[in-house]
């Protein structure tokens, strides 16, 4: 769901702290809350959630393709729908930069600095060599994205974390 694309009146069940929601079919939209049909449709929606007929979805920015948002040689923009698979790649060490606002000067500076560092690391290498390296770099806006794989403890932003290929655990959670 794109947050600014939501119009109402409508009804949606979500968890703000975990960043997920249960999509509805829009059957409540533009019905007065006092209408008997609104109550019936709301009950059907809630029953569908309770009976696991509707799967929760996580908030996520959209990407056109894998290279959408790619910065420089090997820094990938991650979103809620790509974060889990990127981090859990068992064949690569994964380094992630967590930001809370891509338009903020501090976040932009951190993203640009990391991108420049990666460009230096991979200087003279082609895309195939970069893809076959043992480390992947990404950044994610934690205010606009959520994931079934919870973020590590974020004490301040921007924050940079490394997840080794052999152990993807954030030990601070133990």
């Amino acid at each position: 769901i794109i947050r600014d694309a939501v119009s109402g009146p409508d009804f949606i069940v979500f968890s703000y702290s975990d960043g997920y929601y249960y999509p509805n079919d829009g059957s409540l939209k533009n019905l007065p809350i006092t209408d008997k049909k609104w109550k019936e449709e709301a009950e059907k929606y809630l029953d569908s959630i309770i009976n696991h007929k509707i799967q929760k979805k996580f908030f996520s920015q959209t990407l056109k393709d894998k290279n959408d948002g790619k910065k420089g040689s090997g820094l990938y923009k991650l979103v809620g729908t790509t974060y889990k698979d990127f981090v859990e790649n068992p064949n690569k060490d994964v380094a992630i930069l967590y930001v809370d606002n891509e338009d903020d000067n501090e976040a932009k500076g951190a993203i640009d600095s990391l991108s420049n560092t990666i460009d230096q690391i991979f200087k003279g290498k082609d895309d195939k060599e970069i893809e076959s390296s043992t480390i992947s770099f990404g950044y994610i806006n934690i205010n606009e994205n959520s994931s079934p794989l919870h973020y590590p403890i974020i004490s301040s932003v921007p924050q940079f974390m490394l997840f080794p290929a052999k152990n993807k655990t954030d030990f601070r959670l133990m």
Side-chain angles (χ1 to χ4, degrees), residues 113-124:
S113 179
L114 180 57
S115 180
N116 293 337
T117 301
I118 295 165
D119 285 345
Q120 291 300 312
I121 292 169
F122 293 127
K123 192 173 191 170

Side-chain angles (χ1 to χ4, degrees), residues 87-107:
V87 171
E88 289 184 336
N89 183 338
N91 301 314
K92 293 197 179 226
D93 296 324
V94 176
I96 305 288
L97 177 66
Y98 297 90
V99 298
D100 63 350
N101 181 351
E102 293 165 78
D103 296 325
D104 175 73
N105 286 335
E106 186 177 15

